[in-house]
Structure formats: C-alpha cells, structure tokens
Amino acid sequence: MPETSPSDPGRPTIVTLTMNPALDISTTTDRVHHTSKVRCHGVRHDPGGGGINVARIAHVLGAPVTAVFPIGGHTGELLTDMLEHSGVSYHSVPIADLTRESLTVNEESTGHQYRFVLPGPFVTHEEQDAVLQRLREVAASAQFLVASGSLPPGVPADFYQRVADLCRELGVLLILDSSGGGLTQVRYGAFLVKPSKRELREYVGRDVPTTADQVAAAHELIDRGVTQAVVVSLGADGALLATADVDQKFEAIDVPVVLSGVGAGDAMVAGITVALSRRWSLSDAVRYGVATGSAMLLTPGTAPCRPEDVERLFAQAAPPVDVTRSPARN
C-alpha cells in the first residue's frame, strides 16, 4: 500500500484530514426484515469518511486537494486503490488495526435508506502523532485544512483542538465538520465549523427549534472564540450562516429524484471550501455549498456529484435572506 499517491500535486490549496476513513458499501434490496436473509443486489464500493469524501468532491470540482488519513489492513488497501484510481491525491499513514466498513442499504419497496456505521479501528497515540506529523508536512503551504468526520477509538475527544493549534501555527484556515462530540472539545482556532442542527443542539445543551434560536446558538460558538463563522446544515430546510457581521438563511434546492442522501453534508463542506479557495465571498460560498450538497443527492451511494449538476443547481439557488436572532438563553 503506497503512503503517497503518484498524483500528489505538491502544493495543494486544500488539505483534508480523515481520522476514521471507511470503505463505504451501498446496496439495494426489496425489503429489510429481521431473522431471515436479506438478499441484496447492485453492490457498490467507494472510499469514504468525511475528509476523504470532501477531497473526492473538491477534486471533481477542479480544486488542488490532498487527503491525509490513517489506514490499515485489506479494507485500507482497497480504499486507497479506489482513491488512487479516481485520481485524488492522498497521504496515508499506516496503522496496525483494520480500517472500518460502513454499509448503506436502500429499501426499494418503501424508499427508505438504512445506514450501518461501525466505530472504526483503535488508533494508538504513536499513530495519532504520526498522522499529525504527516498533516504538518502536507498542509504547510495550503490555504485551507478541512477536518471532517468522527474520531475512532483511542483518539481523545480533544484531538481536533490539536489540529486547530497546528493550523494556527501554519497560518492555515481550519474548516471543521466534526461528529460524535468532537466539536464540544474545540475551544478556539477554527475559521468555520459546520454542525448539523442536532450537533448544534448538543453543543449548546438545549433545543433550537426556530431559525432565530439556531442563529443565536451559532453565535455562542463565535462569541466563545471557537470559530469565526458557523454554517448549520438543515437538510430539507437549507442552511444557516452566522458570522460576527452577517446572519443569513439559505433555502434548500428542490431535487425531484433523490438517489442517495449519503455524503450530502460532506459535499456541502467541499463546495464551500472550493468556493472560498476561488476567493468568493462567504455568502456565495455557502450558496455554492448548498448546490453541491443538493447535487450529491443525484448520485448513487457516495459517488461524487457531477460538476455540471453543481453549476446548474447553483444557478437555480435563491439568494440568502437576512435573519434576526433571538437572545441566547441559559
């Protein structure tokens, strides 16, 4: 298994970090039921995990990007083989444990989708340090570092703060999309964070039912110095952008046929980051991110979206609407 792909661009604009990569498996069956065997068809394999998904989409959108991640075992070998075949540059760090698999099952009779996500390998302290050292080398000349996804067993909850410290040292802007509680351990140093509504609710410890409540909660991260900007992904309700100066709501883009919702959040992050690397305004970047996430719904499994779909949906996207936040509640 190569530690560096031959397509390494040398000086990427965007670097992504995936601490818990996955071999994504998607398949289809008529109905999911218990006890007896569920016969499936149309199996698809994709390299996955938050930062890897971001890198794949940024690559198809034409941005210079490199993915950094730990990898282990035969599942790791298959993941890197597919990533290399796609032309995405990467730097992998070997670990002793086995890279996880994730399974998505589409149920034809109902249109429901079932996702089975495994916890991932145990990553030792020495392996964590090796990933950070590789990240330091690769990101030294980058503009943006996207840290995305869950943390595997063995990696402490404050790991992303170490990444934020590294970004501050290098002068790189950190875009963070963390699940599983990683956001709550970041105290400072992010440029942009992208929580879901659920993750935002978990961070502030209360329900955020209205747009005004969500923007107020987002400002708690800004006021505490965690980040300069917050983009809240709201699924079918679109997205919110909060900064010290601007609060805006972005409508979702209607996509009549949805093949898979897997990876839409990662696609949004990729679109935002690519647009920022083109020196677009933050508002336009979020609108491009919404279009990219919507385009992801048109592809099966975690297959990357098509650039032509992104551009078409971006042209259809409504301009954002300014919103007023309610006072934060204790």
Side-chain angles (χ1 to χ4, degrees):
M1 179 191 321
E3 292 189 12
T4 303
S5 75
S7 58
D8 178 13
R11 298 176 65 86
T13 302
I14 302 167
V15 173
T16 72
L17 172 65
T18 312
M19 285 305 295
N20 203 7
L23 177 62
D24 286 336
I25 305 169
S26 57
T27 189
T28 301
T29 190
D30 177 62
R31 181 174 294 278
V32 176
H33 49 79
H34 63 84
T35 309
S36 59
K37 295 178 180 179
V38 177
R39 301 289 182 181
C40 301
H41 60 88
V43 180
R44 179 185 177 93
H45 295 81
D46 289 292
I52 289 176
N53 290 336
V54 171
R56 294 170 66 210
I57 295 161
H59 174 72
V60 302
L61 294 177
V65 61
T66 291
V68 176
F69 50 87
I71 208 76
H74 65 276
T75 48
E77 291 180 359
L78 182 55
L79 187 154
T80 52
D81 285 347
M82 291 187 295
L83 199 61
E84 189 157 342
H85 181 73
S86 71
V88 176
S89 168
Y90 67 87
H91 289 250
S92 63
V93 177
I95 62 173
D97 212 346
L98 189 69
T99 294
R100 66 176 174 148
E101 296 173 285
S102 291
L103 176 64
T104 298
V105 179
N106 299 302
E107 188 177 56
E108 289 182 314
S109 59
T110 64
H112 293 162
Q113 187 176 78
Y114 298 86
R115 305 180 191 179
F116 303 89
V117 181
L118 302 182
F122 185 90
V123 181
T124 67
H125 291 297
E126 293 77 13
E127 291 166 343
Q128 295 169 41
D129 289 343
V131 172
L132 286 175
Q133 180 57 39
R134 182 61 57 85
L135 188 66
R136 177 186 298 276
E137 297 165 358
V138 176
S141 59
Q143 284 182 273
F144 298 94
L145 194 157
V146 180
S148 179
S150 62
L151 296 173
V155 178
D158 65 353
F159 183 84
Y160 283 133
Q161 183 59 59
R162 297 180 66 186
V163 176
D165 291 339
L166 186 151
C167 287
R168 172 177 285 191
E169 179 183 339
L170 295 177
V172 177
L173 297 178
L174 172 62
I175 295 177
L176 177 62
D177 182 12
S178 171
S179 59
L183 176 60
T184 61
Q185 301 298 315
V186 177
R187 304 182 304 280
Y188 57 85
F191 170 68
L192 184 150
V193 298
K194 191 211 70 69
S196 65
K197 180 180 175 181
R198 173 185 59 79
E199 291 162 347
L200 184 64
R201 181 178 67 242
E202 292 173 352
Y203 180 85
V204 298
R206 65 175 186 273
D207 196 16
V208 286
T210 69
T211 297
D213 291 331
Q214 293 153 15
V215 175
H219 272 271
E220 292 188 28
L221 282 89
I222 297 170
D223 295 343
R224 294 173 186 177
V226 173
T227 183
Q228 298 179 44
V230 179
V231 175
V232 186
S233 56
L234 301 171
D237 292 326
L240 289 171
L241 166 66
T243 72
D245 303 313
V246 174
D247 300 317
Q248 294 179 323
K249 175 72 180 291
F250 297 77
E251 292 183 7
I253 303 171
D254 183 43
V255 178
V257 179
V258 176
L259 294 181
S260 175
V262 180
D266 296 329
M268 174 187 281
V269 173
I272 292 171
T273 309
V274 169
L276 289 174
S277 74
R278 297 172 180 170
R279 302 186 183 278
W280 291 15
S281 70
L282 189 52
S283 182
D284 284 343
V286 174
R287 193 159 63 95
Y288 192 72
V290 171
T292 309
S294 300
M296 194 71 176
L297 304 177
L298 300 173
T299 60
T302 56
C305 52
R306 294 178 291 268
E308 58 269 27
D309 289 332
V310 175
E311 299 303 326
R312 173 175 56 83
L313 294 172
F314 180 60
Q316 297 176 10
V321 177
D322 291 339
V323 297
T324 302
R325 59 186 167 114
S326 61
R329 298 193 299 269
N330 295 325

